[in-house]
């Protein structure tokens, strides 16, 4: 499918769903669908093709195309329905060039005028692409109640499309060991997951784990763990009646003060402010 990125991309629906069995017998929807497998397995028929997906796979279903789930096993997935201009629009090729603005060496650049079209493959393996994972975490934490929130959502969907398009640079694939470690953190984030605990579980040294995170994820294991915990805290603040203290404990923080400090560091607001801001009237 070709997306014209000069067009307006509008998100029509999004969410996270758990399924134990095929949930419909076939649909044709007048919106594009992106389906990202968070856990489990899925076999989906799209038009005349069947695709097998596992954790980290992204399925693209164009609008007005028949699709139906064939097989499901322990499936949790994110979905996004969106509209965009999918015609192969023509564009004039212009070369990027610069011209001097100031004598001290500042330069201005023209906006690239090449073809705005990006190609989305039917199936993209994103398990090793940390950018895709982080975009879905951000989308899952949103609770739309204003036009500003909706614009943020549309911007994230546009970022996702650009990230997974075949013309985009792809992150270097993660090593098998790193994938195992982050999958463990994603699933057991509420437990005591120190660098020592990871070292003992995976039978590798703490220094080696630290090097893996720095080299492949450009972060530390504790920073990654905090992001996962805070993303789940955002979900609970949005969609549960649990107190801030209960949420702090539920996502793995033993001290509410430390939870509030990390939450504000990563989101810019306190947990209480976040809940008030996203409260549905």
């Amino acid at each position: 499918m070709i997306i014209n990125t000069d067009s307006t991309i509008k998100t029509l629906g999004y969410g996270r769903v758990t399924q134990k069995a095929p949930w419909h017998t076939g649909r044709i929807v007048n919106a594009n669908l992106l389906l990202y497998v968070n856990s489990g397995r899925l076999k989906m028929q799209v038009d005349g093709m069947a695709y097998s997906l596992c954790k980290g796979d992204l399925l693209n279903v164009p609008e007005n195309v028949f699709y139906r789930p064939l097989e499901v096993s322990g499936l949790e997935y994110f979905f996004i329905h969106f509209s965009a201009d999918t015609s192969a629009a023509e564009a004039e090729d212009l070369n990027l060039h610069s011209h001097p603005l100031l004598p001290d060496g500042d330069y201005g650049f023209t906006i690239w005028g090449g073809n705005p079209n990006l190609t989305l493959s039917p199936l993209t393996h994103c398990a090793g692409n940390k950018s895709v994972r982080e975009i879905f975490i951000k989308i899952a934490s949103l609770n739309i109640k204003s036009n500003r929130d909706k614009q943020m959502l549309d911007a994230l969907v546009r970022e996702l499309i650009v990230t997974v398009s075949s013309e985009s640079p792809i992150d270097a694939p993660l090593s098998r060991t790193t994938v195992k470690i982050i999958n463990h953190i994603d699933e057991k984030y509420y437990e005591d997951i120190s660098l020592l605990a990871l070292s003992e579980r995976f039978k590798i040294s703490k220094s080696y784990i630290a090097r893996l995170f720095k080299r492949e994820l450009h972060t530390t294991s504790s920073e990654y763990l905090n992001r996962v915990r805070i993303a789940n805290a955002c979900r609970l603040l949005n969609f549960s009646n649990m107190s801030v203290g209960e949420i702090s404990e539920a996502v793995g923080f033993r001290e509410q003060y430390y939870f509030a400090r990390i939450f504000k560091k990563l989101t810019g607001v306190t947990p209480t402010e976040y809940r008030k801001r996203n409260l549905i009237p």
Side-chain angles (χ1 to χ4, degrees), residues 197-262:
L198 291 174
S199 174
E200 292 175 346
R201 177 179 179 84
F202 292 98
K203 310 301 181 186
I204 52 181
S205 70
K206 294 188 294 182
S207 60
Y208 182 67
I209 294 175
R211 288 198 301 272
L212 284 177
F213 272 81
K214 184 176 181 180
R215 183 176 67 241
E216 299 185 18
L217 297 172
H218 311 292
T219 187
T220 66
S221 59
S222 60
E223 288 172 346
Y224 182 87
L225 173 61
N226 282 338
R227 289 204 304 269
V228 173
R229 284 175 169 173
I230 296 305
N232 281 277
C234 288
R235 177 175 56 84
L236 292 174
L237 287 166
N238 281 335
F239 303 112
S240 81
N241 294 320
M242 297 170 65
S243 69
V244 172
E246 290 171 334
I247 291 173
S248 171
E249 186 173 353
V251 299
F253 290 97
R254 299 298 172 250
E255 297 181 5
Q256 186 175 333
Y257 170 78
Y258 182 65
F259 164 65
R261 184 161 68 87
I262 297 299

Side-chain angles (χ1 to χ4, degrees), residues 24 34 63 69 79 98 102 109-110 162 192 194 210 213-214 262 272:
H24 62 75
L34 293 175
E63 61 183 347
F79 72 89
S98 65
L102 299 173
F109 292 89
T110 60
V162 172
D192 176 21
S194 63
F213 272 81
K214 184 176 181 180
I262 297 299
T272 301

Side-chain angles (χ1 to χ4, degrees), residues 21 62 87 100 102 108 125-126 135 147 177 188 190 203 220 222 238 247:
S87 61
L102 299 173
H125 303 291
C126 304
I135 291 171
N147 184 59
T177 300
K188 303 294 185 180
Y190 48 84
K203 310 301 181 186
T220 66
S222 60
N238 281 335
I247 291 173

